[in-house]
């Protein structure tokens, strides 16, 4: 049997690093065969008219939602082992996760895993069983607010930039309830201590007590200030929010939720500490500062 390659002719000389074999597609594109080795998961380059095809940098195109990589964890949460009912109680048994909380610092690769998992979590609508279970608990994210109260009675220690933009922040916050309903899975309380970096599965989301449905942006926007608190530059996180599919597909909802969440932190940080949570107000103050840094970049 003749096993010669489909195209026996070599590549044109004016194309550097041209693959030896390929498949010709309509429109003059030549897609290379999949490579093997450590970088086998990278997308093969697409060549058009003898040059790698890239969009000009001055043309801002909306991101195209691609199917998440199969190398990401299979599920965002731990595997369900079983459900047991006895004496009016329900026990939900989940698989053991072996590992620490993820490291959100810039030197760690854990944030990349988290963003990939968020992409997979919000790629498609929530399945009907999840939607039916989540419908029994209303979303707390839709009711987040704080700027309207601060606008009515501005504290004397407000930063000048925040004081000058109170009206804009209150308008963004007021728009959020109308954008807060959708069909994506929402964890609702995503931070490092609600995740486990399992030695086999990688990063996994745990503590789904606030699970609900809503826009894809909720968990991604909630995570963004946590990354700034962990040492990431606000400019880098703002750029990531511009590009990640969970937030880039609806920039208005993303910015409105960030405004509502930051207003909630800013208002609550000024209240007395609740019993048993002495560090809560200090955390909310730091988170509000990180949220303001992101809002300034998105509103500018």
């Amino acid at each position: 049997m003749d096993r010669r390659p489909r195209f026996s002719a070599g590549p044109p000389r004016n194309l550097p690093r041209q693959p030896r074999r390929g498949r010709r597609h309509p429109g003059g594109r030549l897609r290379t065969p999949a490579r093997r080795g450590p970088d086998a998961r990278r997308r093969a380059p697409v060549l058009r008219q003898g040059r790698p095809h890239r969009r000009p940098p001055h043309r801002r195109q909306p991101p195209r939602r691609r199917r998440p990589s199969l190398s990401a964890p299979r599920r965002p949460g731990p595997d369900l082992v079983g459900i047991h009912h006895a004496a009016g109680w329900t026990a939900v048994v989940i698989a053991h996760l072996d590992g620490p909380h993820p490291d959100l610092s810039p030197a760690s690769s854990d944030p990349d895993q988290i963003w990939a998992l968020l992409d997979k979590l919000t790629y498609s609508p929530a399945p009907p069983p999840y939607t039916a279970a989540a419908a029994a608990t209303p979303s707390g994210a839709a009711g987040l607010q704080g700027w309207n109260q601060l606008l009515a009675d501005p504290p004397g220690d407000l930063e000048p930039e925040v004081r000058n933009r109170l009206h804009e922040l209150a308008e963004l916050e007021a728009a959020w309830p109308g954008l807060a309903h959708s069909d994506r899975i929402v964890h609702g309380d995503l931070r490092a201590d609600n995740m486990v970096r399992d030695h086999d599965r990688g990063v996994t989301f745990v503590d789904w007590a606030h699970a609900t449905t809503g826009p894809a942006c909720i968990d991604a926007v909630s995570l963004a200030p946590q990354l700034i608190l962990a040492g990431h530059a606000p400019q880098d996180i703002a750029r990531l929010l511009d590009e990640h599919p969970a937030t880039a597909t609806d920039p208005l909802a993303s910015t409105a939720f960030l405004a509502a969440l930051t207003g909630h932190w800013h208002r609550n940080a000024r209240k007395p500490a609740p019993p048993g949570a002495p560090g809560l107000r200090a955390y909310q103050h730091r988170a509000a500062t990180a949220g303001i840094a992101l809002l300034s970049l998105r509103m500018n």
Side-chain angles (χ1 to χ4, degrees):
M1 182 180 295
D2 187 1
R3 296 183 178 273
R4 292 178 297 174
R6 184 175 179 181
F7 293 99
S8 58
R13 294 183 179 179
N14 63 334
L15 295 183
R17 302 177 64 180
Q18 181 79 359
R20 295 181 181 178
R21 293 184 297 174
R23 187 172 55 184
R24 184 69 61 179
H25 289 263
R29 299 183 181 181
L30 181 65
R31 189 177 300 280
T32 63
R35 294 176 291 178
R36 301 185 182 276
D39 58 345
R41 292 189 180 93
R42 297 180 183 174
R43 288 194 57 168
V46 178
L47 304 181
R48 178 181 293 170
Q49 297 180 354
R51 291 179 298 177
H53 172 59
R54 297 185 180 89
R55 289 190 178 97
H58 62 275
R59 292 180 58 189
R60 182 75 177 271
Q61 299 290 337
R64 180 178 297 177
R65 195 76 187 264
R66 294 173 180 169
R67 185 173 296 277
S69 169
L70 296 179
S71 63
R74 292 176 300 167
R75 296 182 182 89
D79 292 331
L80 177 65
V81 176
I83 302 177
H84 303 274
H85 304 277
W89 289 83
T90 299
V92 179
V93 184
I94 62 174
H96 173 68
L97 297 174
D98 184 16
H101 295 306
D103 178 9
L104 301 185
S105 69
S108 171
S109 63
D110 291 348
D112 292 336
Q113 292 188 45
I114 296 170
W115 288 113
L117 192 55
L118 278 175
D119 189 11
K120 190 166 189 175
L121 179 67
T122 59
Y123 178 76
S124 57
Y130 176 95
T131 302
T137 305
S139 172
L144 293 176
Q145 53 87 26
W147 293 121
N148 193 43
Q149 296 181 21
L150 295 173
L151 177 62
D153 185 17
D157 60 348
L158 273 180
E159 299 88 344
E161 182 181 7
V162 176
R163 182 181 296 274
N164 293 336
R165 286 192 156 177
L166 274 177
H167 287 277
E168 294 178 72
L169 292 168
E171 288 177 2
L172 273 173
E173 179 182 84
W176 166 241
L179 304 169
H181 304 284
S182 188
D183 57 1
R184 265 35 182 188
I185 294 177
V186 176
H187 179 279
D189 194 17
L190 202 60
R191 56 180 192 266
D193 57 348
N194 283 340
M195 309 179 208
V196 174
R197 189 181 67 230
D198 184 74
H199 295 306
D200 295 325
R201 296 173 55 105
V203 175
T204 304
F205 300 161
V206 297
D207 193 359
W208 289 76
H210 301 279
T212 183
T213 56
C217 66
I218 290 181
D219 285 331
V221 171
S222 300
L223 178 65
Q226 315 297 325
L227 294 173
I228 294 178
L229 295 180
H232 292 262
Q235 294 83 353
D236 295 337
I237 302 304
R239 188 180 309 112
L240 197 153
L241 292 179
D242 286 341
E243 297 172 354
H244 193 272
T247 47
T249 51
D250 194 345
L252 175 58
S254 300
T255 306
F257 175 64
L258 180 59
L261 180 62
T262 304
H264 166 79
W265 282 331
H266 223 299
R267 181 198 62 185
N268 285 6
R270 301 173 181 278
K271 295 181 178 180
L280 177 61
R281 300 310 183 203
Y283 160 76
Q284 290 175 334
H285 178 74
R286 296 194 304 271
T289 301
I292 287 294
L294 283 173
L295 281 169
S296 298
L297 292 168
R298 291 184 69 85
M299 294 170 68
N300 286 338

